[in-house]
């Protein structure tokens, strides 16, 4: 029996893609290996969003080649594949910098892995590289999603037409595509049948979802959420990542109407300066953004916000940066992700002359993160003494510990018997730090 090992870099969409690739391989008779050294097929699912992410792929590939060599000395063949966004952007670099790679395929063509593997079997030597933007949807060719997690991802939309000037996604994941409503509902039902209590709908720009219903009519994300909320047994719904200008009133209403929709929303603002937002080609001002947040709070006063931030975009002044801090002080995010601007070849912002010095980027990131963490800690501390339903999705660090999440996506560890795994349990929060909570079963 052959074994595979998949290493996933980057975002939740990559985690989902890796699960689907695992499904393809299991259909071909492969089983999962515990470690790369035990695998006949090693796949890297890669991320290109920032330079650091992409460089990590190349350095880790070097290590995998050593394993391939060791296995060769034991008389074992190893196929190495690279999939995901680095392939779409840097296929020539892969062939040059990692010539030991046997195949490479972009994020839209991994359904072709069975054919690719057959090709490798026939033509040893040059790597098989597939970076098509195919006419067909890969989702039509993937086997049923047999993921058995209690907390599942479901890709409903892929690609992006926004072309923020710093971002590679429109080039790596291509133009926006929305899966038909029926297909999404069928996959959700399957996941729930397999034990999912929570489903997180994924898309690079998930709230611009416009999938067709059976009559061929385009339906928005709000329609899809309402359809999915009707599935018996499904307890929690989330969606990520959203674009502020696409937060329509019908979608905001869902946060009032649907009990299953969790009171947490990741809505990246990127910057608080209108001048920088314009240079980023974002279709919102900071006032537009704050208006959306206010509407969300009206729809559900309990909602907690999360965001992505970029500091040191070309031309960003101290004043622009202060405007970002101002947005943070207004929204009081309960969680956030912040990055130094990374210059990505092929994007318009990479050509701008007024790049910000590394030292300044670092100083701003430190200041921003201190502020963000202070709000995150304050929110977590305010949870102490409260009782929250926690979905325990995996084992924790200690032997008798489980890991779960609150409705607000807070990480929570509890000393609990494994019978509580994959259940939603009322937990009283006893301790809180910036990145995690501790709690005990209530009652
Ligand atoms: N540099 C830094 N951060 C970036 N992001 C996207 N592109 C870049 C870049 N070139 C961030 C954005 C986005 C998140 C997924 O990654 O904040 O929302
Ligand atoms: Fe990138 Fe902007 Fe599209 Fe998000 S909305 S994926 S940041 S281009």
């Amino acid at each position: 029996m052959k074994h595979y090992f998949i290493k996933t870099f980057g975002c939740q969409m990559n985690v989902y893609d890796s699960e689907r690739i695992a499904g393809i391989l299991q259909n071909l008779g492969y089983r999962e290996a515990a470690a790369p050294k035990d695998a006949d097929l090693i796949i890297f699912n890669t991320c290109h969003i920032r330079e650091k992410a992409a460089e990590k792929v190349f350095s880790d590939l070097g290590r995998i080649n050593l394993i391939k060599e060791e296995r060769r000395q034991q008389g074992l063949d190893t196929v190495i594949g690279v999939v995901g966004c680095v392939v779409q952007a840097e296929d020539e670099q892969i062939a040059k910098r990692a010539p030991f790679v046997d195949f490479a395929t972009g994020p839209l063509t991994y359904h072709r892995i069975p054919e690719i593997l057959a090709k490798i079997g026939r033509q040893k030597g040059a790597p098989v590289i597939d970076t098509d933007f195919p006419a067909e949807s890969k989702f039509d060719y993937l086997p049923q999603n047999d993921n058995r997690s209690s907390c599942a991802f479901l890709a409903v939309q892929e690609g992006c037409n926004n072309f923020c000037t710093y971002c590679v996604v429109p080039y790596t994941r291509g133009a926006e595509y929305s899966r038909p409503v029926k297909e999404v509902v069928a996959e959700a039902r399957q996941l729930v049948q397999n034990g999912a209590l929570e489903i997180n709908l994924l898309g690079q720009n998930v709230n611009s979802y416009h999938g067709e219903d059976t009559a061929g009519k385009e339906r928005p994300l709000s329609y899809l959420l309402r359809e999915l909320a009707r599935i018996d047994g499904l307890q929690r719904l989330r969606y990520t990542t959203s674009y502020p200008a696409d937060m329509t009133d019908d979608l905001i209403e869902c946060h009032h109407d649907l009990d299953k929709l969790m009171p947490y929303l990741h809505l990246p603002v990127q910057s608080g300066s209108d001048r920088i937002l314009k240079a980023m080609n974002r279709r919102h001002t900071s006032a537009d953004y704050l208006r959306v947040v206010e509407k969300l709070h009206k729809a559900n006063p309990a909602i907690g916000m999360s965001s992505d931030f970029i500091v040191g975009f070309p031309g960003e002044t101290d004043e622009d940066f202060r405007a970002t801090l101002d947005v943070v002080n207004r929204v009081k995010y309960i969680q956030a992700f912040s990055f130094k601007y990374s210059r990505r070849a092929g994007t318009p912002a990479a050509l701008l002359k007024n790049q910000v010095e590394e030292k300044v980027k670092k100083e701003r990131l430190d200041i921003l993160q201190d502020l963000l963490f202070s709000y995150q800690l304050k929110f977590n501390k305010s949870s102490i003494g409260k009782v929250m339903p926690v979905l325990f999705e995996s084992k924790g660090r200690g032997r008798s510990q489980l890991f779960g999440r609150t409705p607000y996506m807070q990480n929570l560890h509890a000393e609990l018997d494994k019978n509580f795994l994959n259940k939603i349990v009322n937990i009283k929060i006893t301790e809180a730090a910036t990145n995690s909570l501790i709690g005990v079963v209530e009652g």
Side-chain angles (χ1 to χ4, degrees):
M1 190 186 291
K2 289 199 167 184
H3 287 85
Y4 69 88
F5 185 90
I6 305 176
K7 181 172 164 106
T8 307
F9 299 79
C11 64
Q12 292 162 326
M13 185 72 98
N14 267 13
V15 174
Y16 175 84
D17 287 337
S18 291
E19 286 166 359
R20 304 305 305 264
I21 292 168
I24 295 173
L25 298 175
Q26 282 159 18
N27 258 19
L28 293 175
Y30 283 80
R31 290 291 161 264
E32 192 175 3
K37 68 173 177 36
D38 305 319
D40 309 278
L41 170 59
I42 300 172
I43 294 183
F44 274 23
N45 191 1
T46 62
C47 173
H48 191 65
I49 197 93
R50 284 169 291 276
E51 189 180 352
K52 233 169 144 182
E55 278 310 308
K56 174 124 181 52
V57 168
F58 284 106
S59 64
D60 284 11
L61 270 175
R63 268 199 287 280
I64 286 297
N65 189 32
L66 297 179
I67 293 177
K68 185 171 178 163
E69 270 308 312
E70 278 167 24
R71 282 176 53 89
R72 198 199 315 273
Q73 279 160 22
Q74 296 160 25
L76 298 167
D77 263 348
T78 315
V79 170
I80 299 181
V82 185
V83 304
C85 292
V86 170
V87 177
Q88 204 65 45
E90 299 198 59
D91 50 339
E92 284 171 16
Q93 283 296 314
I94 288 177
K96 227 186 266 166
R97 293 176 64 181
F100 49 85
V101 163
D102 299 283
F103 75 90
T105 153
L108 304 180
T109 43
Y110 62 75
H111 58 293
R112 296 179 183 162
I113 283 179
E115 297 155 45
I116 292 173
L117 288 174
K119 239 190 219 168
I120 294 170
R122 287 199 303 270
Q123 57 165 60
K124 292 235 162 189
V128 181
I129 295 187
D130 186 348
T131 51
D132 244 16
F133 282 119
E136 79 269 16
S137 157
K138 68 185 170 206
F139 296 105
D140 293 341
Y141 295 84
L142 296 173
Q144 181 173 290
N145 187 347
D146 265 332
N147 191 286
R148 300 192 167 268
S149 158
S150 55
C151 182
F153 291 127
L154 202 176
V156 303
Q157 180 278 334
E158 186 167 15
C160 187
N161 296 347
N162 286 325
F163 290 93
C164 299
T165 53
Y166 51 81
C167 187
V168 293
V169 166
Y171 313 98
T172 59
R173 292 263 173 187
E176 272 180 25
Y177 167 76
S178 295
R179 297 176 69 189
V181 172
K182 195 174 152 198
E183 190 180 309
V184 173
V185 173
E187 189 168 326
R189 284 190 188 285
Q190 181 64 42
L191 291 169
V192 172
Q193 209 179 329
N194 286 353
L197 298 175
E198 171 174 319
I199 293 183
N200 194 340
L201 306 181
L202 299 181
Q204 270 80 37
N205 194 358
V206 72
N207 61 337
S208 81
Y209 174 86
H210 52 88
E212 285 187 359
D213 66 11
T214 37
K217 186 170 172 227
E218 287 197 350
R219 299 289 194 167
L221 185 64
S222 56
Y223 178 89
L224 188 62
L225 285 168
R226 287 175 194 276
E227 287 293 299
L228 295 172
R230 300 211 319 245
I231 297 178
D232 280 342
L234 179 62
Q235 314 253 350
R236 293 175 159 196
L237 272 167
R238 304 180 189 274
Y239 59 94
T240 197
T241 294
S242 296
Y243 188 76
D246 294 327
M247 283 309 297
T248 49
D249 289 344
D250 54 311
L251 181 55
I252 293 172
E253 265 315 292
C254 289
H255 287 273
H256 177 266
D257 297 346
L258 302 178
D259 291 340
K260 292 184 181 181
L261 193 54
M262 291 293 99
Y264 168 89
L265 187 67
H266 183 61
L267 189 64
V269 67
Q270 310 298 356
S271 166
S273 154
D274 291 345
R275 210 176 61 81
I276 294 296
L277 287 169
K278 193 155 184 241
M280 286 175 163
N281 193 32
R282 302 279 292 179
R283 286 180 285 111
H284 61 88
T285 61
S286 61
D288 295 334
Y289 180 89
L290 292 170
R291 248 190 314 272
V292 169
V293 173
E294 197 184 314
K295 281 190 196 172
L296 282 159
H297 275 122
K298 271 206 187 112
N300 181 358
I303 207 161
M305 299 299 300
S306 157
S307 179
D308 291 338
F309 296 89
I310 296 175
V311 297
F313 182 83
E316 187 187 68
T317 61
D318 284 340
E319 196 186 336
D320 294 318
F321 177 59
R322 274 197 296 277
T324 299
L325 299 178
D326 191 43
V327 168
V328 174
N329 284 322
R330 280 165 192 262
V331 179
K332 303 182 173 55
Y333 294 97
I334 67 168
Q335 206 180 91
F337 306 88
S338 44
F339 314 99
K340 286 184 283 185
Y341 167 72
S342 170
R343 202 172 177 176
R344 308 307 284 131
T347 62
L351 302 174
L352 296 174
K353 294 276 173 280
N354 46 0
Q355 300 287 326
V356 173
E357 251 183 277
E358 187 57 30
K359 185 170 146 276
V360 175
K361 285 189 208 172
K362 174 148 190 354
E363 279 166 11
R364 288 183 186 160
L365 188 65
D366 287 346
I367 293 169
L368 175 62
Q369 292 190 335
D370 278 351
L371 186 64
L372 289 169
F373 289 153
S374 74
Y375 281 115
Q376 190 170 324
L377 181 63
K378 211 168 175 180
F379 179 74
N380 286 352
K381 291 262 186 216
S382 76
S383 308
I384 294 177
K386 288 189 182 151
V387 176
M388 292 197 225
V390 173
L391 169 53
F392 286 101
E393 60 181 70
S394 63
K395 296 212 176 95
R397 281 183 295 255
R399 262 228 327 231
S400 55
Q401 213 183 45
L402 296 184
F403 169 81
R405 284 186 204 268
T406 71
Y408 294 99
M409 282 295 248
Q410 293 154 296
N411 299 330
L412 183 135
H413 294 272
E415 293 294 324
L416 265 189
D417 188 89
K418 61 177 184 312
N419 287 336
F420 287 100
L421 193 58
N422 300 322
K423 294 208 170 81
I424 296 177
V425 187
N426 277 335
I427 294 288
K428 186 167 184 170
I429 314 304
T430 54
E431 287 175 50
T434 310
N435 287 314
S436 71
L437 307 178
I438 293 178
V440 294
V441 177
E442 165 71 354

